[in-house]
Structures are given as C-alpha cells and as structure tokens.
Amino acid sequence: MTIDTTPKMRWWDRLAHPGQFMAWTGYIVWPLTIVTGALFALGLWFAFFNSPPDYQMGDTVRIMYVHVPTAWLSQFVYGAMAVSALGTLVWRHPMADVSMKAAAPLGAAFTAMALFTGSMWGRPTWGTFWEWDGRMTSTLILLFIYLGIVALWRAFDDQLRAARVIAIFTLVGAVNVPIIKFSVDWWSTLHQPASVFRADGPTMPGSLLAPLFAMFFAFTLLFITLQVVSMRTEVRRRRVATLERKAAREAGA
Amino acid sequence: MNGFSGTLHRELRLALAGSGEILTLLLFFVITGALVPFAIGPDKVLLARIAPGIVWIAAFLSMLMGLEKLFRPDREDGTLALYRLGELPLWAVIAAKVIVHWLTTALPLLLATPFLALILAMDMESFWRTLLSLLLGTPALAAFGTFGAAVTVAIRRGGLLAPILIAPLCVPVLIFGVGAISPMGGPDQAGAALLFLAALSLISVSLAPFAASLAIDWGEE
C-alpha cells in the first residue's frame, strides 16, 4: 500500500503548469469566440436599428455604445493587470506573468479606442475634439502608462526578470485608476458624471440602456477572448524560445 | 546611521567629482527656458503669464537628464551588487541616492531660477511663488525619477525608457506645481495646491526607496 504524499494542489496551483493551462483553454477559445460574436451581433443590431436617437444628441448618441464599453475596459484591464502583478509578486505564479504581459497591449488598444470615440463624440456634442478636463486627461495618462509598460516588456531580454520588475511598476501606476474613476466627481468639468452605475440606479432610459449593456458584455467578452488567445500565444512563444535555446546548446556541444 | 551617512558622503562626492555635469545641467535648464521666447515670440505679457509653466517644464526635463547616471555606473562596476549584499539595507542606500539626486539636480536649478525669471519677464510675486512651488515639488520629481531609474537599470539600452515611464506619474506634480503659482480660484486654491505638492513629495520620497529597492532586487536576481 502506498501513501500518497503529494500535497493536495489547489486549482490555481495546477494552473501554474503551462501545459494544464494550454489544455483547458484549448476547449474554451472557440466557445468564447462564438458567444462574443453573437453578443456583438445582438448589440450592434440593437445599437443601429432598435434604439431611438437621443432627443438632444440625435444619432450621435450611438457612439456611446462603443465609447462607454471601451472606456470601462481601459480601467478594467488595468485592474486585471494589477491583480496579475500581485499574483506575480506574492505567489510567483507563472501564468500571472503571462496574463500581465498579454493584457498590456489590449489595455492600450481599448484606451486608445475610448479616447478616439470620445473625441469623435465630443466634436458634434461639445463642439471640440479635445478638452483638458479631468477624465480625458487622466485617461490619456493611462494610455501613456500602458504604452510605457508595453515598451518595458519589449526592452527586457529575460522575461522572468521583466515580469517582477514590471509588476512593481504596474502597482505604482495603479494609483491613476481611482483618479480616473473619481475625476468627474472631483473636478466638475465638461465630462458628464456617472450615469449608469449609480447608487440610485441609472439615469438613462431603458431603450438606451439595453443596447449599452449588450455592447458592454460583448466588449468585455472580447477582452477575455483576446486575453486567453494572447496568453496561449505567449506560452507558445516561450516554448519556442526554450526549444531554440536547447537546440543551440546541443548544436554547440 | 553611520553606514547611511557614509553612503551619503560617497554618493555626494561622486556626484560633485563630475561637477562639470552640474554645469551642463544648469546650461540645459537655462537654454530650455530661453528657447521659448524664440519659439513663441518676445511678447512680454504672454511670457510673464506662461513663465511659471516654462520654468516647471524646464526643471522637469533637466531632472530627467541625470537619471541614467543614478544606478547604471554602480551596476557596471559592481558597486550595486555590493550595496545589495551590504549591511545597510538597499532602500537606505536608495534613500541616500534620492537625497543626493535632489541636491545635485534640483538645488542648482532653484538657484538658477532668478535668471530665467528675469529673461521671462516674471514679476516679483510670481517669482517667489515659483521658487516655493519648485522647492516643495522637486523632491517628488527626484523620488519618481529614482524609481524610474531603478526599474530600467537592468535593461541594457534603457536610457530613454525611464523618462517615458515616469513622465505620466509626474503629471500631478506639474498640475499642482503650476496651480500653486497661477491659481484659477484665488489664493485659497494656491495654498491648497502647495499643501498637495508637499503631500506628494512626502509620500513619494518616503515610498520610492522601498519600491526602487524591490525593482532592483528583482531585476538583478
């Protein structure tokens, strides 16, 4: 009779093995892609054909269905990156490194999209492409931080060392996220205050809220799908690098 | 405390040994400020209005110039490895470096501010306000700069990366720094901005050595 002395592994410990990660994410990439596509189809149909134009803004209100979800993701992705950074620093979880690296370009892209759509929306409604108000300025700074982190990942040769250094920088940069969140409350500027997630309920009619929520879930699932796919790519990239090193060593010996 | 003051002395002596560098820094600061009238035209009223912003930008850029020198020479000649193994904790060494960085970059700039104030047609009151806001705000810039240099020291060609990384973090310092000089909402706002500047400096100077020492430890391992 043998006694099983291997300690019981929790599910996130088991995840630490990249092979495990590749195995189970292999099953979810296609379902995720299909659900995301379906949600986008539903959300876009709502946004273009089944929601009324705003009584003040007219059809330009439809920019909101891209602007609000991407603006939300610009902050959410940073939050995900900060949690991954904690995973790297506290538990030294190898998949946290990969997640942190995969999220940075995605966050930069969503932030750029939020800024671009906001600018497109600002021109017809506020009469200006750009205004130096609290939220726009802090979102621009967030974009710079994302791009700095992407540049940092590219500058390091050794990705394992890079992960821990970048994790610290990510956590230091995280002070900007609450500033963005509360900027519209602290500085009363051009940007409107929160109108969807409020303690007293949304201040928006249901006909605008339904497409917004559909697009909101579609974009969030898009992020999750892209995140999983680029994490898989990163795992494969590291495998290739290891194999190359091995081949070089054998050729040299 | 003996090790700390010893480190402080060493760092200060090294920084002053190349005092040509301080002169270069001063020249850079003054030239940056003096270029603005050429770029926007010598309109004295306009210059006087934007002079505090120009001085702040010039000081900010000048303080970014010296970041490369902060850890890289120490890393290349092995001193950084000794610091990490030494009795004095690494964060204390870095605290000494923050102090020396401020003494050898920010302090000379403060002394050169009257010259910029003169050629940018600043009046007496905004000159003193600018000096005060620089005095309260530059420690935060020194702290962020040291952190940025620590994050990028392990990268072989990280020269331009540190300024890019920390510039977004320095934005609040610039906002409150200039807000303390040309307040939009009267003198109350200026006082609040000065308090915010002091708070930013206190927080960043006290936390940066720890964050920077973590970054160096994990980057070198």
Side-chain angles (χ1 to χ4, degrees), chain A residues 94-110:
Chain A
M95 289 318 290
D97 296 10
V98 175
S99 155
M100 202 166 61
K101 184 175 182 185
L106 296 175
F110 285 123

Side-chain angles (χ1 to χ4, degrees), chain A residues 32-44 46 64-66 68-70 72-73 76 110 196-197 209-226:
Chain A
L32 266 177
T33 312
I34 292 164
V35 175
T36 308
L39 265 173
F40 262 110
L42 178 76
L44 287 173
F46 257 127
M64 173 179 78
Y65 303 133
V66 177
V68 175
T70 48
W72 136 259
L73 277 177
F76 175 76
F110 285 123
V196 179
F197 298 104
L209 216 50
L212 183 60
F213 270 117
M215 289 300 276
F216 179 84
F217 284 119
F219 266 106
T220 308
L221 270 177
L222 176 68
F223 162 64
I224 293 170
T225 311
L226 290 176

Side-chain angles (χ1 to χ4, degrees), chain A residues 142-153 169, chain B residues 161 164-165 168:
Chain A
L142 183 65
L143 178 64
F144 290 153
I145 294 179
Y146 272 127
L147 294 178
I149 290 174
V150 173
L152 205 51
W153 274 111
F169 183 79
Chain B
L161 209 50
I164 289 176
L165 283 175

Side-chain angles (χ1 to χ4, degrees), chain B residues 18 63 67 69 79-80 114 121 128 204-205 218:
Chain B
M63 288 192 69
L67 292 186
K69 301 258 157 45
T79 315
L80 195 60
W128 285 113
S204 52
V205 169
W218 282 328

Side-chain angles (χ1 to χ4, degrees), chain A residues 23 33 35 59 66 117 133 139 147 154 180 210 215 217 244:
Chain A
T33 312
V35 175
D59 276 329
V66 177
T117 51
D133 85 328
T139 306
L147 294 178
R154 284 164 175 264
I180 299 178
M215 289 300 276
F217 284 119
E244 274 175 353

